[in-house]
Amino acid sequence: MQLLSALVLLTLLKAHPTTAAVKEYTLDIVNAPIAPDGYNRMGILANGTFPGPLLTANKGDTVKVTFNNKLTDESMPVSTSIDFDGVLFNTASVYNEGSPFVTQCPFGPNTSYTYTLRLGEQSGSAWYHSQVSLQYADGLRGVFIIYDPEDPLKYLYDVDDESTIWSVADWWHSTSTATLNSYNLTQVIPLQDSGLFNGVGRYVGGPEIPYVVQSVTKGTRYRFRLINISVRWQVFVSVDSHTMTVIEVDGTPTQPLETNMLSLMPGARYSVVVTANQAVDNYWINAIPMDPGSPNKYEENPVFDPTLSRGILRYAGAPDAEPTTPMTQGPEGTAANLLQEHELRPFIPTPPPEPDYILNFTTSMAINETAWLFNGTQYESPKVPTLIKILDGASDAADFNKSENTFIFPRNKTVEINFLPDPTDELHPFHLHGNRFWVIKSNESDIVNTVNPPIRDVAAKGNGGTILRFTTDNPGPWFFHCHIFWHFWAGLGAVMVSDPEGIRQQAKPSEAWDELCPAYNALPVVEQ
C-alpha cells in the first residue's frame, strides 16, 4: 500500500486513545438581519451569527452537529445541506458528507439533520458551509478546528486557541438570489461590496465599523489559523513588520516555511506561526481580496475598496487605537516574499505513486450562455443522488447521465488530473471532497515534483497548468469542483467515484438519511 493511502486510512479509522470523546453541537439555521460591514441586510445564519459558531474537537473525537432548518425567507434558498470542507469521511459514513445530490438530498424548512463526523487521526483547520446553490454567500459558513494535543510542530508556538483563528471572507449587500440573477443575465459575477476579517469589514461611504483586534504579548509565538471562507475571492494576507512561518496547509502538517505574504484561494487553509517580536505598538493585518478572474476590476463597484479589508495586531501595552501607518496591500517589490505553493513540503515525506489513470481536463465558458464546461460538459445535479444510484447497483459511466460528469475508478488506484495550460482561462480553485491530493505541478510554477510535493485539498487551476494526483483507497462518490460557487452553479464540477462495489459493501446509511430524498421531493418547488 502506498504511504499516503496508509496515512489516509489511519486518519479515517484509527481513534486516538487518550482524547477520544463525543462532542455535540446544535445550530439553528435562521433568517436574521446582519451588518458585518455596517450595511444592514437579511442573511442565512447559523445561530444568528456570521461567521457561524466555531466548532472545535480533538483528534480522535466523534462530532455530532445537528442543524435545525428554520428558514422562512423565500427570497433566498430555504432548503440546505452542509459540507465540512477539510473533513475526510470514510465509506461507512459517506452518506453524512453533505454534498447535495451526490451523497444526500437537501433538507427543507422545519426539519433537522444530524451530521456525524468520526475524526480518527485527522486534525487541522477546516470549515463548514452550505453546499446548496449560493446559499453560503448569504452567511451560512463557519470554522471547524480539529486540534492535535500531540502536534509534532507544537514546539514552534506558544498559543493556539479560539483567539488565534483568522477567517477572511467576501461579502455582498445583495442576496445570493439577486447576484445569481445578475450573473445569469450578464455572465459576470457581481463585484463584492466588502472584504471581511473575522466577520468585520468596511465599504466606501459606510460607517467606520471598528476593526477586529488580535491581542498579542511581546515575545510570545502564536499559531494563527487562516481560513478563506469566501465564495469568490482570493485573499492576500500579511502582517505589517512581521513574518509568518507556514506549518499546515489544508489539514496537512508541513515542514516550516517562512514568508511574509500568503495567497488563499476560496476554501484554502493555512496555519502560520507569528512571533510578537516587534516594538509594542499597533500593526495592520492586511487581508486584501482580489478577484482571481479580473484582478483590476475594482472600479466596477464604487463602494468596494480592497484596502479596507483588514484587522489590527495589538501588542499588550499599545494604545487602543488604529495603526498610524498607511493601509497598504502588504509588502511590495523586493520586500515581498509571497509564498510559492510548489515550495511547500509535507512534514512527513510522502512520495506520490505513479498514476494508473491520467485525465486531461479543460475548463471553458460556453459562448452566449451562463455555463461553465468541464471537459466540454456542464455538470447538472441529478434528481437522484449519485450515492443512491450506486447503492442501487450503478457501477459504470453508462449508468449515469452525461450531465452528471461522473468518473469511475477501481479501488487502490492512482488518478492523475492534468489541467492543461490555457492562457485564455482565469484562475479556478478546485476542491476535492473525501480525499487530499498531491500537487505535482502548481499553476504558478513550471516545476514538476514527483518526489515530495505539497498535499492539500484545494489547488488553483489557471493559465499555467496544474497537475494533481489522488488515490482511490477511500470508496465513495466525491465532488470535484471549482470553489467559486457561481462557476460551480454554472456547471464547473464533476464526481469522482472510487470503487462502487466497495461503496455498496461498506456504506451504512442511517434511517434519517433514507428519509431525506422523499421529504425533499415532496416540498413545493418554491421551498426547494
Side-chain angles (χ1 to χ4, degrees), residues 187 364-371 373:
Q187 291 81 55
S364 58
M365 191 173 185
I367 299 174
N368 297 326
E369 60 179 308
T370 307
L373 309 180

Side-chain angles (χ1 to χ4, degrees), residues 101-152:
F101 306 108
V102 175
T103 57
Q104 72 165 92
C105 281
F107 54 101
N110 303 311
T111 59
S112 302
Y113 189 76
T114 298
Y115 294 89
T116 300
L117 293 71
R118 295 178 176 86
L119 300 178
E121 286 291 285
Q122 63 188 309
S123 61
S125 307
W127 63 300
Y128 63 93
H129 63 84
S130 168
Q131 188 86 6
V132 169
S133 186
L134 252 74
Q135 192 178 58
Y136 91 80
D138 294 310
L140 186 46
R141 32 183 162 158
V143 172
F144 179 29
I145 303 299
I146 309 167
Y147 293 101
D148 180 2
E150 299 176 351
D151 179 13

Side-chain angles (χ1 to χ4, degrees), residues 14-26:
K14 182 180 175 183
H16 197 273
T18 59
T19 62
V22 176
K23 299 195 70 173
E24 299 189 33
Y25 292 92
T26 299

Side-chain angles (χ1 to χ4, degrees), residues 212-260:
V212 168
V213 173
Q214 174 67 59
S215 299
V216 297
T217 300
K218 187 174 175 65
T220 303
R221 303 167 302 169
Y222 296 85
R223 176 177 180 165
F224 293 117
R225 295 173 181 265
L226 281 63
I227 300 100
N228 187 353
I229 62 174
S230 294
V231 192
R232 165 64 173 165
W233 283 67
Q234 180 182 14
V235 179
F236 289 81
V237 177
S238 61
V239 183
D240 284 0
S241 302
H242 293 73
T243 61
M244 301 177 286
T245 300
V246 178
I247 61 170
E248 176 221 349
V249 54
D250 295 355
T252 299
T254 66
Q255 296 177 18
L257 182 62
E258 188 173 277
T259 185
N260 64 8

Side-chain angles (χ1 to χ4, degrees), residues 179-191 232 291 294 297 300 365 370 486:
T179 60
L180 267 181
N181 289 339
S182 173
Y183 179 58
N184 197 38
L185 289 172
T186 65
Q187 291 81 55
V188 176
I189 298 174
L191 193 66
R232 165 64 173 165
D291 186 322
S294 303
K297 64 185 290 185
E300 293 181 11
M365 191 173 185
T370 307
W486 284 269

Side-chain angles (χ1 to χ4, degrees), residues 81-83 85 98-100 129-133 433 479 481 485 488:
S81 178
I82 306 299
D83 176 41
D85 270 16
S99 297
H129 63 84
S130 168
Q131 188 86 6
V132 169
S133 186
H433 293 214
F479 244 153
H481 63 85
F485 261 49
F488 182 29

Side-chain angles (χ1 to χ4, degrees), residues 163-218:
S163 72
T164 59
I165 297 168
W166 293 354
S167 69
V168 293
D170 42 21
W171 189 251
W172 282 260
H173 295 164
S174 301
T175 66
S176 64
T177 303
T179 60
L180 267 181
N181 289 339
S182 173
Y183 179 58
N184 197 38
L185 289 172
T186 65
Q187 291 81 55
V188 176
I189 298 174
L191 193 66
Q192 70 183 64
D193 295 294
S194 61
L196 308 180
F197 178 82
N198 274 359
V200 175
R202 295 179 183 177
Y203 66 96
V204 176
E208 292 192 351
I209 302 296
Y211 286 118
V212 168
V213 173
Q214 174 67 59
S215 299
V216 297
T217 300
K218 187 174 175 65

